[in-house]
Amino acid sequence: MNWEPVIGIEVHVELETASKMFCGCAVDFEAEPNTNVCPVCLGLPGALPVPNRKAIEWITKIGLAFNCSISERSQFHRKNYFYSDQPKNYQISQFDVPVCHDGWLDVTVAGATSRIRINRAHMEEDTGKSIHVGDSGRIHSATETLLNFNRAGVPLVEIVSEADIRSAAQARAYAQDLRTVVTALGVSDAKLEEGSIRFDANVSIRPVGTEPFGTKVEVKNMNSFRSLERAVDYEIRRQEGVLESGGIVHQETRHWDEGEGVTHSMRSKEGSSDYRYFPEPDLLPIEVTDEWRDEIAATLPEMPAARALRYVALGADGDSASSLAGSEALATLFESAVEAGAPGNVVANWLTGEVTAWSRRESLDVAESALTGKHLRDLAAMVAANSLSSTAAKEVLGYVLAGEGGPAEVATAHDLVQISDSGALEEAVDEVIADNAEQFARLAGGEDKLIGFFVGLVMRVTGGKADPRAVTEILRSRIS
Amino acid sequence: MTELSQLTLVEAAAALRTGECTSVALTESVLDRASLTEASVHAYLTIDRQGAMAAAEASDRRIAAEKPIGPLDGLPIALKDNMMTKGIETTASSKILSGYIPPYDGTVVKLLREAGAVFVGKTNLDEFAMGSSTENSAYGPTRNPWNLDTVPGGSSGGSAAAVAAGSALAGLGSDTGGSIRQPAALCGLVGMKPTYGLVSRYGLIAFASSLDQIGPLTRSVQDAAILYEAIAGHDPHDATSFPGPAPSGTERLGAGVEGLRVGVVNELSGEGIDDEVLVAFRTTIDRLANAGAEVVDLSLPSTATALSAYYLIAPAECSANLARFDGVRYGLRVDGSTVDEMMSLTRAEGFGSEVIRRILLGTYALSAGYYDAFYGQAQRVRTLIIQEFATAYEQVDVLVSPTAPAPAFELGAKTQDPLSMYMQDICTIPSNLSGHPAMSVPVGLSASGLPIGFQVMAPALGETVMFQVAAAIEALSDDIGRPVLEVVAS
Ligand SMILES: [Zn+2]
C-alpha cells in the first residue's frame, strides 16, 4: 500500500526580551545558576505575575509575520501539572483564545511551493532546568537532581501548525523557514542547539487518497534541522512498517535518539494529558487594540521570502537569494556590495560559498569579520579587469575576511595579481617562442595540441601570474 | 483614661499626638495584654516583641520631633499569618510552611511599615484561610475572648481575637468568602472587605485568587476606614489591582443615612438565620428607617446558589494555588525514593484534612469531562450574581443582611460537619463572588452575651457610602463594650 505522511509541527521560541514574562528578572542564560530569580519566578508564596508588555508586542509581531489574525482580547490559562522544575506546578499559558491564530507560511521544496497553515501562536512561560546528577545523567538513574530557575518564566511562544506537511523534507523546510523569519524579526536568537527554539513533530500516516488521519505520534528531542528531517523520516517508515505488518500505531510520545537514528517510546506519565486548564485569575485578558497591532505591524522588517525575491532581481540565483535573505549579516554585505556597483551573481556566490564556509570553519559570525561591501565590489572589479583569476579571488577573499586588508593590498602582498598588461605578456610569449623555435614551427604547422605546452611555459616564466586566456590569444596572433 | 490596649486607633493616635502616651507604652500595653491572654485565647502564632519595640521607639522619635508619618504611626497592629513579612516566620497555619521565613514584605505589609505601624505579630487562621472557626490550624485553635468555649470565627479568627482581647489595637485579615466579616461579627468588631482589586494581593498567600481581599478588623468604623485607606491603592505588582484612586473611606463618616436607600436582601435575612440574629437585624433596620433611610425589600434569587458556586470556584483556584507547596524549594519536605513520591508524601504530611478536601474538590471540578458541569456552571452562576447585584444597586445605595447566621458556636461543634461549617458564610459569600465591598458592624449581644454582626454591602467602588451607612449603624446601636476576659499570667 502507498502511504501518505501527515505532519504537524509545534515550535517553541524563547523570546529574548530584557526581562522575564511575569517578573523583572533578566533573561540571561549565561548567568550563574539561580541568580536571575525572584519571588515571582521561584513561585514563592504570595507572589503574583505581571505580564511583560514587550513580550506581548513581540508575539504579535511573530503572528503578523506569519499572516495570523491577532485576538483583540486573549486569555491566559493555568496548565496544571507537577514537575520539579516548574515552580508553581502550573504553567501560565493560553488555551482557547491565543494571541495569534489562523496564519500561514509558504514553503518550497524542490521547486514546489505549499502553503502550511498555522493554527495558532500563543504566549506562555518557560520552566526551569533540571540537571540530573549521578550515573548516566538520565532521570531514572540519577542520585540527585539540581535545579536552575534562571530560565523559569522566560517568555515562550508556541507556534502550532496545522497537519499540512506531507514529507520529512517539507517538515525541515517549514522549520528552517520559520526560524529564518523569527530571526529576521529580532525577537529570539533561535538557536536549536541551545534550545532557544525547539521543534516537536506530530506524525501520522494514512493510505494515499484517504481523508481520515491515522493515529498521531509526537516526536521530540531533535536539536538540528537535519535531525528533525531524519526523525520524521524514521517515524514515517516505522509507522509504515507497523501498519504493513498488521500492527497498530499507538498514540504516544517518542524520543529521537540522534546516535542510534531511531525513535524510542517515552514512558507515559500517569494521568498525563489532563492539564485541568482554567482561566488564570491573577491576570486580566491581554488586549491588543487595532491601533497597537497596526503600530507593531509598521515595525515589521522585510520578510525573508520577499527579500529573497528582491535579491533574485539583483542577480542572485534562487538558492543563494534564500540563504542571503535568511542571514542578516550576509544580506547586509550583499546589499552594500550591490549598491556600490558589484554584480549580484558574483557577490552572491562568494557570500554563500567562501564567506559562509569561512564563518563555519572559524566559528565566527560574518558580521564579526573585516569584510565590507566595498571590499566585495573591489574584488569583483579586479576579476572583471582580469587582474585576478577567479581562483586567486577566492584566496584574496580569505585574507580579507581574516582582516589582512583590502583586496588590492592583500593581492599584492600575497603576489596574486595577474599579468594582464599585454606588453609584458607579449614579451614573455616572444621569449618562449624564441627559446623553443622547433616546437613553435610544429605548432604553426598545425600541431595544435602544442598550444598547452607554450601556455604552460609562459605561466612558468611569469610565476603563474599570467592570464592563460590572454597568453593563448597572443600565441594565436603569432601563428597567423 | 482607658487601659491603653483597649483604645481605638483614633483614640490612640490622638493620645500619641498630645503626649498622653508613647508608642512604646502602647506597644508594651498590648504585649503585656498578650502575655496574659495568649495562654487561653491563642490569637498569635508569632509575637515579634523585638521588632515591635524597635518600631515603636522609631515612631516615638518621629512623634517627638513632630514628624509623624500619618494616622497609623506608632499604632500596634496584628497581621494574619498568610501575609508575607520579611524575616518573620509566615506559615498560613500550615505544617507545610513550618519555619518558612519570607524574603520579602507583601505590598500591604510594606505600606503599613512605611506608614509607621507597629507589627505585634502574626495571627492564627484556618490553614490557608480555609475555614470559618480558626479550628483548622496546624498550631491549635484560637478561642473567642467573649467566651473561651466558643470559636472566634474564621478564617481571620486570630486577628479578630487579638483585637477583641486587647493584644492589638487593630488587625488585618483576608476575606475570600467572609473570612474578615464573620470573625468580626463573632468577636464584636468592625470587619471590612474592600472592592476586589482595591487592596493589593501581592504577598498574600493565595487561597482563591479571584475572591481574596485583605481588609481591616477594628474596634470602630472610623478605625476601619482609616486602616482601609492606608492599604488601598494601585499596586503594579498585582495585575488585578484597580488602576484608579481608591474611594475614600472617611469622607462621609457622620453624614447619617437621611435619604439613602437601604435594600434588605430577602434571601439572606430569613431562612437559616438564628432568631436572635434576626431580631437584632430587624431592630437595626428600624433604627435606620427612623434615622431617615428608605428601606426597600429586595429579592436576589441567585444568592441561593452562591454557596454552591463558591465551593466549586474557590477549591478549583486553590487546587492550583497550593500546587507550589511541593517540598522542592521551601517548606516541609518528606523524603521519598523519587521526586514524585517526595512531593506526594510532603503534601500528605503537610496539609490538613480541610485543605486536602478542598484541593480534591477543586481538582475534580476542573477535570476533563467535569469542567463544564462544575467549574463552568459555577462561573455562569457567578455572572448571574454580578448581574443581579448590578440591577439591585440601580435601586438602592447599599444592601444589608445579617453577617453570620448565628453568634459564635462552641469549639468542635461543627468540625465533623463541613456543610454546616460552610453555611457560616451564606450571607458573606455573594459579595466575594460579585467582587463588591462589604463590611460587618456589631449591633448587639445575644442573650448569652455573644456579639451579633450586621452586614452592609455596596456596589463596586462604593466604599464611601458603605462606611457612611456603617458609621450611622454604629452610632444608632448600643455599645457592646469589650469582652470581659478572665486571664491568668502565663
Ligand atoms: Zn523573577
Side-chain angles (χ1 to χ4, degrees):
Chain A
M1 194 181 290
N2 284 324
W3 300 94
E4 179 182 48
V6 175
I7 303 155
I9 303 230
E10 286 172 19
V11 189
H12 285 90
V13 182
E14 276 175 354
L15 299 185
E16 248 184 327
T17 44
S19 59
K20 292 186 182 180
M21 187 61 221
F22 297 114
C23 62
C25 292
V27 173
D28 175 10
F29 305 116
E30 312 285 293
E32 282 287 296
N34 297 313
T35 51
N36 291 323
V37 292
C38 74
V40 177
C41 57
L42 282 177
L44 296 193
L48 294 173
V50 176
N52 179 339
R53 194 175 153 86
K54 198 74 186 169
I56 305 299
E57 181 188 320
W58 284 6
I59 187 178
T60 305
K61 218 168 176 174
I62 289 174
L64 291 169
F66 292 118
N67 313 292
C68 289
S69 302
I70 306 300
S71 307
E72 213 171 322
R73 278 166 76 87
S74 68
Q75 174 76 49
F76 281 115
H77 271 66
R78 290 186 184 176
K79 179 180 182 179
N80 295 286
Y81 63 96
F82 280 83
Y83 205 84
S84 54
D85 59 19
Q86 168 143 279
K88 303 182 293 296
N89 286 318
Y90 61 80
Q91 180 191 32
I92 303 178
S93 181
Q94 295 196 282
F95 184 55
D96 49 359
V97 194
V99 179
C100 316
H101 59 94
D102 298 307
W104 45 264
L105 174 62
D106 282 342
V107 169
T108 303
V109 175
T113 299
S114 315
R115 177 153 295 185
I116 310 301
R117 289 170 301 154
I118 289 168
N119 173 289
R120 61 192 274 145
H122 72 245
M123 194 76 244
E124 57 186 33
E125 55 177 340
D126 213 340
T127 61
K129 265 187 176 164
S130 300
I131 299 121
H132 303 294
V133 183
D135 204 46
S136 66
R138 298 290 295 272
I139 190 163
H140 319 292
S141 50
T143 52
E144 268 180 303
T145 298
L146 303 178
L147 294 165
N148 178 0
F149 291 101
N150 283 349
R151 197 181 69 176
V154 166
L156 201 58
V157 172
E158 182 174 341
I159 305 166
V160 183
S161 84
E162 296 288 358
D164 285 351
I165 297 166
R166 293 289 172 269
S167 71
Q170 210 177 36
R172 178 182 183 157
Y174 170 80
Q176 278 176 326
D177 288 1
L178 186 142
R179 181 188 175 273
T180 303
V181 171
V182 167
T183 314
L185 293 173
V187 297
S188 173
D189 65 357
K191 288 186 180 156
L192 275 89
E193 61 279 14
E194 287 172 20
S196 54
I197 189 165
R198 315 194 270 272
F199 296 94
D200 301 327
N202 288 308
V203 180
S204 67
I205 59 172
R206 64 185 174 193
V208 168
T210 61
E211 272 300 310
F213 289 160
T215 307
K216 78 175 175 189
V217 169
E218 188 174 15
V219 188
K220 286 178 176 288
N221 193 44
M222 292 80 78
N223 55 12
S224 70
F225 292 118
R226 188 169 163 270
S227 67
L228 171 69
E229 185 172 1
R230 285 178 69 205
V232 170
D233 193 52
Y234 172 85
E235 186 54 28
I236 292 167
R237 283 184 291 107
R238 187 190 70 83
Q239 291 184 19
E240 284 174 3
V242 168
L243 293 175
E244 304 254 336
S245 60
I248 45 168
V249 173
H250 296 284
Q251 179 158 358
E252 60 178 347
T253 298
R254 296 180 72 90
H255 203 262
W256 170 247
D257 186 320
E258 182 73 35
E260 292 180 38
V262 297
T263 61
H264 291 296
S265 182
M266 282 166 88
R267 284 186 316 158
S268 62
K269 275 196 249 165
E270 298 165 57
S272 55
S273 65
D274 189 359
Y275 292 120
R276 288 174 282 117
Y277 279 99
F278 73 101
E280 166 57 282
D282 286 332
L283 295 168
L284 303 178
I286 307 169
E287 296 202 22
V288 182
T289 59
D290 289 355
E291 295 76 50
W292 194 27
R293 184 201 59 203
D294 292 347
E295 256 173 58
I296 295 167
T299 68
L300 280 184
E302 183 182 33
M303 284 300 109
R307 187 183 269 182
L309 277 178
R310 195 159 57 77
Y311 288 177
V312 169
L314 291 173
D317 66 85
D319 283 348
S320 305
S322 298
S323 304
L324 296 175
S327 153
E328 219 34 60
L330 293 180
T332 306
L333 281 171
F334 179 75
E335 297 207 10
S336 65
V338 172
E339 172 114 349
N345 57 340
V346 174
V347 174
N349 287 338
W350 282 338
L351 288 173
T352 54
E354 282 65 41
V355 175
T356 302
W358 172 87
S359 156
R360 248 182 237 138
R361 200 169 53 237
E362 304 291 323
S363 295
L364 281 172
D365 195 276
V366 176
E368 295 171 68
S369 78
L371 185 65
T372 66
K374 198 170 159 295
H375 288 153
L376 291 165
R377 191 267 321 265
D378 293 348
L379 193 60
M382 288 173 76
V383 174
N386 283 329
S387 60
L388 271 185
S389 70
S390 56
T391 315
K394 289 173 184 173
E395 208 180 326
V396 168
L397 194 49
Y399 298 127
V400 175
L401 280 163
E404 290 189 17
E409 188 187 340
V410 166
T412 310
H414 288 269
D415 213 9
L416 291 167
V417 180
Q418 282 187 160
I419 303 168
S420 53
D421 166 35
S422 54
L425 272 187
E426 281 177 32
E427 216 169 276
V429 170
D430 291 341
E431 191 186 314
V432 168
I433 290 173
D435 289 350
N436 301 278
E438 184 208 335
Q439 285 88 342
F440 185 73
R442 279 161 57 197
L443 174 65
E447 207 174 322
D448 211 44
K449 65 178 181 190
L450 280 170
I451 194 108
F453 167 77
F454 278 97
V455 172
L457 284 177
V458 175
M459 294 305 280
R460 194 188 302 159
V461 169
T462 58
K465 283 180 279 177
D467 175 356
R469 271 176 307 164
V471 172
T472 309
E473 268 172 42
I474 297 166
L475 278 167
R476 298 244 181 258
S477 72
R478 293 295 183 273
I479 295 164
S480 54
Chain B
M1 79 187 275
T2 332
E3 165 72 24
L4 292 181
S5 66
Q6 300 298 332
L7 297 177
T8 63
L9 293 177
V10 173
E11 290 164 351
L16 286 176
R17 298 293 187 282
T18 59
E20 273 176 89
C21 75
T22 61
S23 175
V24 165
L26 273 173
T27 306
E28 276 175 343
S29 157
V30 298
L31 288 169
D32 289 351
R33 182 72 184 161
S35 66
L36 292 174
T37 58
E38 272 304 284
S40 53
V41 175
H42 188 230
Y44 287 95
L45 295 177
T46 306
I47 290 183
D48 183 20
R49 174 174 283 273
Q50 255 191 333
M53 290 310 292
E57 283 160 16
S59 174
D60 281 337
R61 285 193 294 274
R62 286 191 296 271
I63 292 164
E66 296 188 337
K67 285 178 184 159
I69 302 170
L72 295 176
D73 202 347
L75 305 184
I77 287 171
L79 299 172
K80 190 177 181 179
D81 201 36
N82 58 353
M83 297 172 198
M84 291 297 121
T85 43
K86 187 174 180 174
I88 301 171
E89 184 177 0
T90 301
T91 66
S93 290
S94 182
K95 197 171 168 185
I96 211 159
L97 278 176
S98 174
Y100 179 68
I101 311 285
Y104 75 105
D105 274 338
T107 298
V108 162
V109 171
K110 189 163 163 279
L111 286 171
L112 287 186
R113 233 190 249 289
E114 287 166 3
V118 172
F119 299 138
V120 184
K122 306 298 291 292
T123 58
N124 201 10
L125 61 147
D126 288 297
E127 185 179 358
F128 287 108
M130 297 174 195
S132 307
S133 67
T134 317
E135 290 168 289
N136 302 333
S137 166
Y139 306 102
T142 295
R143 288 167 187 268
N144 191 327
W146 290 85
N147 178 342
L148 293 173
D149 293 329
T150 67
V151 301
S155 65
S156 309
S159 282
V163 180
S167 53
L169 299 196
L172 284 186
S174 65
D175 192 315
T176 306
S179 282
I180 291 172
R181 289 162 287 161
Q182 184 256 11
L186 270 50
C187 290
L189 302 172
V190 175
M192 182 259 179
K193 179 198 90 76
T195 300
Y196 183 80
L198 279 185
V199 176
S200 171
R201 293 183 295 115
Y202 190 74
L204 172 70
I205 298 180
F207 161 18
S209 314
S210 73
L211 304 164
D212 298 340
Q213 272 293 281
I214 294 173
L217 279 149
T218 60
R219 293 168 179 160
S220 75
V221 171
Q222 193 182 4
D223 279 7
I226 289 168
L227 195 44
Y228 150 76
E229 286 180 352
I231 59 175
H234 179 67
D235 179 13
H237 291 295
D238 178 354
T240 61
S241 169
F242 180 68
S248 168
T250 51
E251 194 178 289
R252 293 190 57 78
L253 296 178
V257 289
E258 180 89 51
L260 287 182
R261 295 161 305 167
V262 174
V264 177
V265 184
N266 291 332
E267 286 80 359
L268 305 179
S269 317
E271 207 185 325
I273 310 290
D274 181 273
D275 285 344
E276 276 188 295
V277 173
L278 278 183
V279 168
F281 177 68
R282 289 289 161 197
T283 306
T284 305
I285 294 291
D286 292 344
R287 287 172 178 168
L288 285 171
N290 288 337
E294 184 193 329
V295 177
V296 190
D297 277 346
L298 276 172
S299 181
L300 292 173
S302 67
T303 55
T305 52
L307 194 71
S308 315
Y310 175 86
Y311 275 100
L312 289 168
I313 292 169
E317 291 183 10
C318 96
S319 73
N321 283 332
L322 269 57
R324 67 187 62 194
F325 303 105
D326 59 6
V328 173
R329 284 145 298 129
Y330 48 80
L332 180 75
R333 176 185 289 181
V334 180
D335 276 323
S337 58
T338 64
V339 176
D340 285 351
E341 192 183 277
M342 181 279 284
M343 288 188 189
S344 295
L345 292 174
T346 298
R347 290 167 65 80
E349 171 78 18
F351 289 141
S353 58
E354 182 61 25
V355 170
I356 290 175
R357 179 181 294 122
R358 297 203 196 188
I359 290 173
L360 290 176
L361 258 174
T363 304
Y364 192 71
L366 292 172
S367 296
Y370 297 100
Y371 180 93
D372 203 58
F374 293 136
Y375 188 77
Q377 184 67 9
Q379 289 294 8
R380 286 187 282 277
V381 166
R382 188 173 188 176
T383 305
L384 204 63
I385 289 172
I386 293 170
Q387 285 165 356
E388 272 187 23
F389 269 96
T391 312
Y393 285 123
E394 286 168 13
Q395 302 162 55
V396 296
D397 295 297
V398 294
L399 291 169
V400 296
S401 76
T403 308
F409 50 90
E410 288 192 2
L411 265 82
K414 296 181 194 290
T415 43
Q416 297 310 310
D417 184 1
L419 281 183
S420 92
M421 185 73 90
Y422 295 172
M423 292 301 283
Q424 279 294 307
D425 298 328
I426 189 106
C427 299
T428 46
I429 276 173
S431 302
N432 295 89
L433 290 173
S434 67
H436 295 160
M439 66 192 290
S440 181
V441 190
V443 288
L445 293 175
S446 69
S448 53
L450 291 170
I452 294 170
F454 181 102
Q455 182 176 226
V456 185
M457 298 168 268
L461 305 176
E463 271 77 1
T464 309
V465 69
M466 182 174 78
F467 276 113
Q468 179 185 348
V469 173
I473 293 167
E474 182 181 56
L476 293 166
S477 305
D478 305 322
D479 187 359
I480 62 165
R482 302 273 191 267
V484 180
L485 181 59
E486 282 186 32
V487 292
V488 282
S490 57

